[in-house]
Amino acid sequence: GYKDAAKALEEEEEGKAQRKRANVELAPPRTPCEFCVFLQLSEQLRFALAGDAKSEPPSFMRCMVELWQLVRLNGVYRPREDPDGIQRKSLDDFVVLLLQRLASLRPAQAKETPEWAGLLEALRLDTSPFERRLCKVWAVVQDSCSKPAGETRAQASPNIVLAVELLHTYARLADLPSCISASIRELRRGPAKRANRLLKDPHFLAGLREVAASIPGGAAAAQVTKVWVALLEELQGEEPAWWAAALLEHIIRGVKASDLSLKQFRQLILRSYALLDRLQKGTQLPEQCADGLSAALSVLGRRLAAWELPGSLHRLEGEACDLADRVWYGLRALATKFVQSPPSNRLDAVEPYPDAAVRWLALCEERYCDGKTKAFDKLQQRVAVTLLQRAASVGDAQNGKESSCLLTRRAVCHWVPLFASVTARLPCRSSDNLDEYEPVAMLTKVIVPGELECWQRLAQIRASSPLGDRVVDRTEFTGLHQSWAPSVELWAFYVEALADCAVLNAPLLQRLAGLILETAKPLDVKASLPRHYRAQELGALVGLHEALLSLAALPSQHVPAEVVAEVFHVLSTTAKIALTLSTDPDDASLAAAGSDEDKAVTPRRLLLLSLRVSVQLLESLPSESSLRSTAGCGEEVTHGSTAVRSAIFGFVDAAACAQGQTESTVLDKLAEALAGGSFGDLVSGSSGDLCRVLARITCALLSHRIRGWPDKDKASWLGRFLGRLVGQQLECSVAENASDAEGSTRTVCCLSLPCPLGLLSCDRASVDATHFEGLQRSLRALIALLQAGCSSPAAAAVLQRTVTLSPDGRGEVSAQPMNRVIERLGAGSDIVAPAISAAGLVLSVVAQGLELGRSEVDRISDRVGTLLSDRCHAVWLAGSVLKVFKARPWQLGIGTCAEIASSTSAARGELWTGLGNLMSALCAAPWSDEQGDELWDNFVEILGDWSEFAGNALASGIHSGSATEGSPAPTPVASMQSLALLCAGVGRGRRENLLGLLAMRLSALAAWAAGEHGEAWLPRMSGTAEVLAVLIQGLPQRPTLPGRIVSSMLAAVHAAVVVMSGSLGSFPAVASLHVARISIGLYLHLAAPLHFTSSFSSASSKGLTTKRPHVCLADAEDVLLHIAGLQTRASLHFLRARSVEAHQQAATAMELLSSAYSALSAIFSSVPSETTKLPPWTRKPHVVLDILKAMLEAVYTATS
């Protein structure tokens, strides 16, 4: 029995073993298949790489590096899923191979080998192969460093890139001390050239600072402290290593302290200072290394002091006091050496001293503000003067190295507010009887260099990045550019630092004006310079004007009148030169003679900049400002002073205007050039910018009251100016004998606008393209001028008294062009695109005239009648154009028609934009009850027609792409923003009339949309619903609308809901959003009295009764809940649909959900805090619950 049992047991065990072997054969391999393929390829390459590394082509190694890169990018390297360790061993062998090959190469040969890229890929994959070979890796890196070159390389060498990446990796692993320790061992063990080559590389030192700065503040204490202590131990030996001081210096410069590490870092700094004092006494450390370490310790000490309270509030004690005193004396010693040492072109001989001197000066200024010191001592004065003198001297960079002048200039430009404060208190004669000096002049020379190449570079930077969002790469500066790079960087990216330097405002303006005038002299004489050199002068002028514009945009303090006059004189001179160069055919391509970077510098850009600076200065000066005159011993002068008047009259010759002369000034010539088409079309680009800047400077001049230029002469000049600007295509007449209400004469400029219907009735054969182009330029210039006048009340008053717009085609005569247009459209005739665009511009001009009149209607009583007549004509004009639209909508692109040409589409969009601007101006105009009901009835009818076509325009999208730069968006929604003003500004009767008529129109459109061809009526219904929604949102809370108006609106909303519930699409969904806004606004309006009376509910106990809810509130609530339910179900339909337009449908679903959420929020928020009766929705909680469930389901169904 025992034998049988043993045999059965053996058979069972043998079966188990067979099954295990079968499972092992069927199990997938432990190493991924992709890595197995990689192993096969890499083995073949290893056989090819078995020879000498010096004689093999680098393509084999580069191929292997690229294979490992593919392994990393595709995530094939997964050592945790490889229990046999094949992947880890392969990477380890790869690192060993790379280190062996690099060790066999000379530094010159190993400079650009692909082995460095392979080590970098291996480090990014796994750090374990480097753990046991850190010392060998650092030995290879240090031995491969080349000798310090005369020029600084733009990019780091591959071995330095690997060293910095190694430091970053170990810092992220919180094991930076072990990596630094391995480097220290190799530096101590190897020859002296290792440390000399490695620590003279600026890229390695910068990387060391970045590594120290990348460690978070809380983790910095643990890692940096160990490294700090290890390097201090190297300095405490019998022969201190200078490289330890260099490493410690750059690590300290990058340390970021936190409040948890203050005490620890404070103790380390004091310990390092004590060690430095001992080493400096025994001269065991090179002076340059000791001073560099002392400067780094002082900088970190100042950072730690920032955590303490100011000395005026809290007295320092203990280690904090000792550290503050040690930092003071350390910076003072370095500042003394900076003053005593002569300027040097060696970078290693000057690097720490300028920055330390500036920081010591800042510390002195801080003590002066705290009241610890009262005046400059001798050393402070010498340090400040030496810094300014060296920064202002023209010390060129030699052999690509940074000289003492460049480093000092960089420090001064970085601390401009400090030097502005110091120079204000610095005496003009030194205390040791040296020569006299002017500190403000020296600082101004540093900030505004006289080299034209600097300003050419600034012009190129501003052309490539106008907003200053790009960081300057210092390698881009070569030669003299590099020497003055800090000044260019200050103007290009850090000009805000000059905002707190009030003492420098006038000197900087004077120096910039002087340089501009000196640079512009060769350009004034046409044959004085070759074209290439004139292009360089033009580029420098553009850069100087960019700096002047940046300075003028800053909030300025009081500036002497003579300085303002000088700047205006210079600006008028350069504007004349730029205008001459822009309009001269021989100089039109002046920039093309230079390089590619100079082609962006054109005379037109210079003209635009000079006008922008003038506008900025004019708008920043108040009308009754007090400018201190330097010649009058501080007497107060106004804009009527001779200096300022003569400067402003550089643009406007007031004397010639007073005598009736017509001599052309800068603005007159520019107006003639714009009107004549010398700058092209005024839609966009520099031409449009010139037009808008010309309008701004005109309004700025008109808004200032200047003695010697009365209002009569101002109006006379404005009339002649408008004649030059728009009189070539528009009829412009100037009348000198018009009388106002007071009986005095005044100048009136009457501009006759063409009738838009007459333009639309033009035949293609009789159209002159040149005439229409000139007409469009004149109208665009007039629009820009009126827009600028609306933003300036003083200029608006002058324009309102002087300019009169007289549109042609009034009364019965103008019915003929309208009928002619309708007949021509009915016959199938085409309207020329320039005529359509010109008609739209005329409508925009009329709209701007209404806006200008609305801004002055409360201040000028004699304009009320004219404004009323202008409004009558505007209403008639809008109605006539809408009748043309209504008669043949497809001919003008307002309906859903076939595709049309792009140029014609832009023109039609401009016509619709002009009509929208006109309707916006009419809605924003005040409508008093005294103006009659006939005009109001016509306007309400026109408003209803316009709302229908607004929806059609949105559906067809004709307005897209027709907006010009600087003009308001032409969408109908932008015009509808003024509807809120209309609803709040009219009386109660007219408000109810308007809402009732629009509600009836919406009901009629909903009935048409429910018919057989209802899709064509949906856009009109949507536009009407949007207008009605905007009007209801602008309703005042009191008085409440009567029941008849509310009932008609609820009926219209219900009809629209019925139409939209029958179809699901993107446009019905958009229409439902407008209908929901109507319901929400109406419900909030009806529920508002509940909140007003809830606070008086206690009064009902005394026999008083509170106001009952509106009779239609329950109906409005039912409609609102019904719409919210429809919108949630529609959103679910869009989210569940899988179509090509899934992204657009998801966006529509989110909008519907947001609208439903707003509806429920309106219902819940309208419940009063104190009430005796529950709202109606509490009796049907199932409806609210269904809506909430649908909303929750839609949220979970959405992809994001």
Side-chain angles (χ1 to χ4, degrees):
Y2 290 104
K3 292 182 180 179
D4 295 338
K7 185 176 181 181
L9 184 61
E10 289 178 358
E11 291 177 356
E12 184 179 355
E13 293 294 334
E14 185 178 357
K16 289 181 179 180
Q18 291 178 357
R19 286 194 298 271
K20 286 184 178 180
R21 286 193 297 271
N23 290 335
V24 169
E25 293 175 357
L26 295 176
R30 298 185 178 184
T31 305
C33 317
E34 300 88 348
F35 197 84
C36 295
V37 175
F38 161 76
L39 284 178
Q40 296 295 327
L41 296 175
S42 61
E43 287 297 328
Q44 298 297 325
L45 289 173
R46 288 181 69 90
F47 285 124
L49 293 171
D52 189 8
K54 300 178 182 179
S55 59
E56 293 172 357
S59 58
F60 292 157
M61 178 54 66
R62 190 174 294 111
C63 181
M64 179 171 283
V65 171
E66 291 178 357
L67 282 176
W68 277 103
Q69 184 180 9
L70 291 175
V71 168
R72 178 180 62 85
L73 294 176
N74 293 281
V76 178
Y77 185 77
R78 298 188 292 271
R80 293 185 179 181
E81 301 176 6
D82 186 11
D84 297 333
I86 297 177
Q87 300 184 31
R88 196 182 303 273
K89 186 177 181 302
S90 300
L91 184 63
D92 196 79
D93 295 341
F94 179 61
V95 173
V96 171
L97 175 65
L98 294 177
L99 292 177
Q100 290 176 355
R101 293 173 63 86
L102 287 172
S104 64
L105 297 176
R106 295 180 179 179
Q109 296 175 341
K111 187 176 181 181
E112 298 295 340
T113 55
E115 281 79 0
W116 298 110
L119 285 175
L120 199 59
E121 290 294 332
L123 181 62
R124 291 169 180 171
L125 276 172
D126 195 0
T127 57
S128 57
F130 294 85
E131 294 283 348
R132 302 180 301 274
R133 303 177 181 87
L134 271 180
C135 293
K136 190 171 183 180
V137 172
W138 277 110
V140 172
V141 169
Q142 294 167 6
D143 290 337
S144 301
C145 293
S146 56
K147 297 180 181 179
E151 297 184 359
T152 304
R153 295 186 301 272
Q155 296 180 353
S157 55
N159 60 328
I160 298 299
V161 174
L162 176 65
V164 174
E165 185 65 26
L166 190 66
L167 292 173
H168 274 289
T169 302
Y170 274 85
R172 287 192 293 268
L173 296 175
D175 198 15
L176 182 63
S178 62
C179 186
I180 296 291
S181 299
S183 177
I184 291 174
R185 286 194 295 270
E186 290 302 318
L187 288 173
R188 188 192 312 121
R189 185 187 309 166
K193 65 179 182 180
R194 275 187 178 180
N196 188 32
R197 291 179 179 180
L198 180 65
L199 296 180
K200 295 297 182 181
D201 195 306
H203 299 286
F204 176 75
L205 299 178
L208 201 62
R209 294 191 295 269
E210 291 177 1
V211 169
S214 64
I215 304 175
Q223 296 194 62
V224 175
T225 300
K226 293 181 181 179
V227 175
W228 198 328
V229 172
L231 292 173
L232 286 180
E233 291 177 356
E234 295 293 329
L235 291 173
Q236 290 174 353
E238 297 180 357
E239 296 182 359
W242 67 270
W243 46 263
L247 284 174
L248 184 57
E249 172 192 351
H250 291 279
I251 289 176
I252 291 175
R253 287 186 180 274
V255 168
K256 288 183 178 180
S258 63
D259 53 347
L260 300 178
S261 58
L262 293 180
K263 183 177 180 180
Q264 197 170 2
F265 282 147
R266 193 182 293 122
Q267 293 174 354
L268 285 174
I269 293 176
L270 292 175
R271 177 182 172 185
S272 302
Y273 268 127
L275 180 60
L276 268 181
D277 293 340
R278 183 176 61 82
L279 293 176
Q280 288 178 343
K281 289 180 181 178
T283 64
Q284 299 177 355
L285 196 66
E287 181 182 8
Q288 180 66 23
C289 294
D291 291 342
L293 182 57
S294 177
L297 291 171
S298 301
V299 172
L300 183 57
R302 289 287 291 160
R303 291 179 188 172
L304 298 183
W307 292 87
E308 304 290 341
L309 291 174
S312 58
L313 301 177
H314 174 70
R315 184 177 181 181
L316 298 179
E317 298 177 354
E319 293 180 350
C321 182
D322 298 339
L323 179 61
D325 294 339
R326 193 62 187 84
V327 169
W328 165 268
Y329 289 111
L331 290 176
R332 181 185 176 91
L334 294 175
T336 304
K337 289 184 179 181
F338 172 75
V339 173
Q340 295 175 355
S341 62
S344 174
N345 286 327
R346 291 181 55 197
L347 176 63
D348 54 355
V350 300
E351 185 175 12
Y353 300 112
D355 184 69
V358 174
R359 291 182 183 274
W360 181 72
L361 204 61
L363 187 56
C364 295
E365 190 71 12
E366 181 180 330
R367 291 196 170 193
Y368 171 78
C369 295
D370 292 340
K372 296 181 180 180
T373 57
K374 295 184 178 181
F376 277 106
D377 60 8
K378 182 178 179 180
L379 180 59
Q380 295 176 20
Q381 184 176 348
R382 291 186 60 189
V383 169
V385 173
T386 305
L387 283 169
L388 291 175
Q389 287 177 346
R390 292 192 185 179
S393 60
V394 188
D396 245 349
Q398 296 184 1
N399 298 326
K401 284 189 175 181
E402 297 178 337
S403 63
S404 174
C405 298
L406 178 56
L407 288 175
T408 309
R409 192 174 299 123
R410 183 172 297 159
V412 171
C413 291
H414 185 71
W415 295 80
V416 166
L418 168 67
F419 281 92
S421 177
V422 168
T423 52
R425 299 189 296 109
L426 199 63
C428 294
R429 180 181 292 274
S430 59
S431 58
D432 50 358
N433 295 327
L434 295 177
D435 296 335
E436 292 186 0
Y437 55 86
E438 184 62 36
V440 177
M442 287 189 295
L443 181 58
T444 305
K445 185 179 179 181
V446 174
I447 300 174
V448 185
E451 283 70 17
L452 299 184
E453 291 87 350
C454 302
W455 305 110
Q456 292 177 6
R457 181 59 185 151
L458 177 62
Q460 295 167 5
I461 292 174
R462 287 294 177 86
S464 59
S465 57
L467 298 180
D469 54 353
R470 189 175 67 91
V471 179
V472 171
D473 186 6
R474 287 175 183 157
T475 58
E476 298 179 1
F477 297 97
T478 57
L480 194 59
H481 285 169
Q482 185 178 7
S483 179
W484 290 95
S487 302
V488 179
E489 292 179 18
L490 175 64
W491 285 106
F493 303 101
Y494 311 108
V495 72
E496 294 83 5
L498 300 175
D500 298 331
C501 307
V503 69
L504 297 178
N505 286 335
L508 289 177
L509 286 174
Q510 281 183 315
R511 181 163 175 80
L512 285 172
L515 287 176
I516 290 173
L517 200 60
E518 182 181 355
T519 309
K521 285 182 180 179
L523 293 176
D524 202 4
V525 183
K526 189 172 182 180
S528 59
L529 286 175
R531 176 165 296 186
H532 177 67
Y533 292 103
R534 293 177 66 193
Q536 294 179 355
E537 302 286 337
L538 184 63
L541 277 177
V542 171
L544 287 168
H545 279 77
E546 289 280 5
L548 194 59
L549 179 61
S550 302
L551 187 62
L554 297 176
S556 59
Q557 304 294 330
H558 293 293
V559 180
E562 288 79 1
V563 178
V564 178
E566 183 180 355
V567 172
F568 275 116
H569 172 67
V570 169
L571 290 173
S572 61
T573 302
T574 54
K576 292 177 183 177
I577 296 174
L579 184 59
T580 304
L581 294 176
S582 302
T583 55
D584 192 351
D586 298 333
D587 294 321
S589 59
L590 182 63
S595 61
D596 294 337
E597 295 180 345
D598 295 333
K599 290 182 180 180
V601 180
T602 59
R604 188 177 300 182
R605 183 182 171 193
L606 176 60
L607 175 61
L608 181 62
L609 284 172
S610 61
L611 294 178
R612 280 180 175 174
V613 177
S614 305
V615 170
Q616 190 68 42
L617 290 176
L618 284 172
E619 292 179 348
S620 62
L621 295 176
S623 58
E624 297 295 337
S625 64
S626 57
L627 306 174
R628 298 190 176 276
S629 175
T630 56
C633 299
E635 87 177 275
E636 299 291 333
V637 296
T638 62
H639 283 292
S641 63
T642 306
V644 179
R645 283 207 318 272
S646 62
I648 295 180
F649 291 166
F651 294 94
V652 179
D653 192 355
C657 294
Q659 298 175 5
Q661 300 176 5
T662 59
E663 297 180 0
S664 298
T665 59
V666 177
L667 299 185
D668 296 332
K669 292 180 179 179
L670 180 58
E672 292 176 354
L674 286 172
S678 301
F679 297 102
D681 195 7
L682 304 182
V683 178
S684 60
S686 59
S687 303
D689 293 337
L690 279 174
C691 183
R692 286 185 289 273
V693 172
L694 177 63
R696 285 181 59 191
I697 194 173
T698 304
C699 293
L701 289 171
L702 294 176
S703 61
H704 286 282
R705 294 186 176 274
I706 307 170
R707 281 184 289 177
W709 197 26
D711 293 343
K712 181 179 178 181
D713 297 339
K714 191 183 295 186
S716 178
W717 172 81
L718 179 61
R720 282 191 288 270
F721 174 75
L722 285 176
R724 290 185 172 93
L725 183 63
V726 300
Q728 296 183 3
Q729 303 297 335
L730 300 177
E731 296 182 7
C732 178
S733 59
V734 180
E736 299 288 348
N737 55 353
S739 300
D740 56 10
E742 298 178 357
S744 59
T745 59
R746 59 186 177 92
T747 304
V748 176
C749 177
C750 183
L751 293 176
S752 181
L753 299 177
C755 179
L757 299 176
L759 294 173
L760 293 176
S761 62
C762 292
D763 192 7
R764 181 179 296 273
S766 62
V767 169
D768 185 7
T770 306
H771 170 72
F772 274 106
E773 290 177 0
L775 180 60
Q776 292 180 24
R777 284 194 300 269
S778 300
L779 292 173
R780 293 185 195 279
L782 186 58
I783 291 172
L785 181 60
L786 295 177
Q787 285 179 349
C790 291
S791 60
S792 175
V798 178
L799 289 172
Q800 186 71 8
R801 287 192 298 264
T802 306
V803 182
T804 300
L805 300 178
S806 176
D808 292 337
R810 294 178 179 270
E812 299 296 335
V813 182
S814 54
Q816 298 178 2
M818 181 183 65
N819 297 331
R820 193 181 307 121
V821 174
I822 295 176
E823 290 175 0
R824 292 186 65 251
L825 292 176
S829 302
D830 295 332
I831 301 180
V832 187
I836 300 176
S837 180
L841 291 174
V842 172
L843 296 178
S844 297
V845 170
V846 176
Q848 289 298 326
L850 286 177
E851 290 287 342
L852 191 66
R854 183 173 62 88
S855 63
E856 291 296 313
V857 69
D858 296 331
R859 294 190 291 270
I860 305 175
S861 59
D862 61 337
R863 291 290 293 173
V864 176
T866 308
L867 286 174
L868 180 59
S869 63
D870 288 344
R871 186 180 307 173
C872 293
H873 178 74
V875 170
W876 170 85
L877 194 59
S880 301
V881 176
L882 278 171
K883 285 182 180 178
V884 176
F885 280 131
K886 200 171 182 179
R888 296 290 186 269
W890 57 88
Q891 296 286 349
L892 293 175
I894 303 301
T896 55
C897 58
E899 295 183 359
I900 49 180
S902 58
S903 60
T904 310
S905 176
R908 293 168 178 172
E910 196 153 23
L911 177 60
W912 180 251
T913 302
L915 182 58
N917 293 335
L918 182 57
M919 292 301 301
S920 176
L922 287 173
C923 291
W927 290 88
S928 60
D929 295 335
E930 291 79 10
Q931 293 176 356
D933 294 333
E934 183 179 358
L935 182 62
W936 171 257
D937 294 339
N938 294 334
F939 171 69
V940 170
E941 183 181 357
I942 293 170
L943 182 61
D945 293 339
W946 174 74
S947 62
E948 295 182 21
F949 288 107
N952 257 352
L954 283 175
S956 58
I958 64 161
H959 55 270
S960 60
S962 62
T964 59
E965 185 180 355
S967 62
T971 58
V973 178
S975 301
M976 290 179 184
Q977 300 303 321
S978 58
L979 290 172
L981 299 176
L982 173 65
C983 198
V986 298
R988 179 178 181 179
R990 289 187 172 180
R991 186 187 308 125
E992 295 174 359
N993 180 25
L994 175 62
L995 294 175
L997 291 177
L998 286 177
M1000 293 175 59
R1001 185 181 287 264
L1002 181 60
S1003 301
L1005 290 172
W1008 281 104
E1012 185 177 358
H1013 302 286
E1015 294 81 3
W1017 294 91
L1018 275 177
R1020 294 190 175 189
M1021 188 187 73
S1022 175
T1024 306
E1026 184 177 8
V1027 171
L1028 191 56
V1030 176
L1031 287 173
I1032 291 178
Q1033 288 179 352
L1035 274 176
Q1037 292 183 344
R1038 291 181 177 178
T1040 310
L1041 291 175
R1044 56 182 180 84
I1045 301 297
V1046 176
S1047 299
S1048 62
M1049 294 179 66
L1050 289 176
V1053 169
H1054 189 269
V1057 169
V1058 171
V1059 172
M1060 291 181 298
S1061 60
S1063 59
L1064 289 175
S1066 59
F1067 199 83
V1070 174
S1072 70
L1073 297 176
H1074 303 320
V1075 176
R1077 287 171 58 194
I1078 297 175
S1079 303
I1080 294 173
L1082 186 59
Y1083 182 82
L1084 292 176
H1085 175 75
L1086 297 179
L1090 298 178
H1091 296 278
F1092 296 147
T1093 59
S1094 62
S1095 60
F1096 301 99
S1097 59
S1098 60
S1100 60
S1101 61
K1102 299 179 182 181
L1104 300 178
T1105 58
T1106 58
K1107 186 176 181 180
R1108 295 181 179 181
H1110 199 279
V1111 292
C1112 299
L1113 182 61
D1115 298 334
E1117 183 184 285
D1118 292 339
V1119 173
L1120 191 57
L1121 288 175
H1122 182 52
I1123 293 175
L1126 288 177
Q1127 288 182 334
T1128 52
R1129 288 191 292 271
S1131 63
L1132 277 174
H1133 170 77
F1134 284 127
L1135 291 174
R1136 290 170 179 171
R1138 296 292 184 265
S1139 60
V1140 181
E1141 301 177 351
H1143 180 71
Q1144 182 180 358
Q1145 290 181 352
T1148 305
M1150 292 300 104
E1151 292 181 0
L1152 291 173
L1153 281 178
S1154 178
S1155 178
Y1157 176 80
S1158 301
L1160 292 182
S1161 300
I1163 292 176
F1164 295 152
S1165 63
S1166 298
V1167 179
S1169 58
E1170 297 179 4
T1171 182
T1172 58
K1173 187 176 180 181
L1174 292 176
W1177 61 268
T1178 57
R1179 292 190 292 271
K1180 39 190 174 184
H1182 58 281
V1183 178
V1184 180
L1185 190 60
D1186 291 341
I1187 296 174
L1188 292 175
K1189 286 182 178 179
M1191 290 178 64
L1192 188 61
E1193 184 180 357
V1195 169
Y1196 281 105
T1197 307
T1199 56
S1200 62

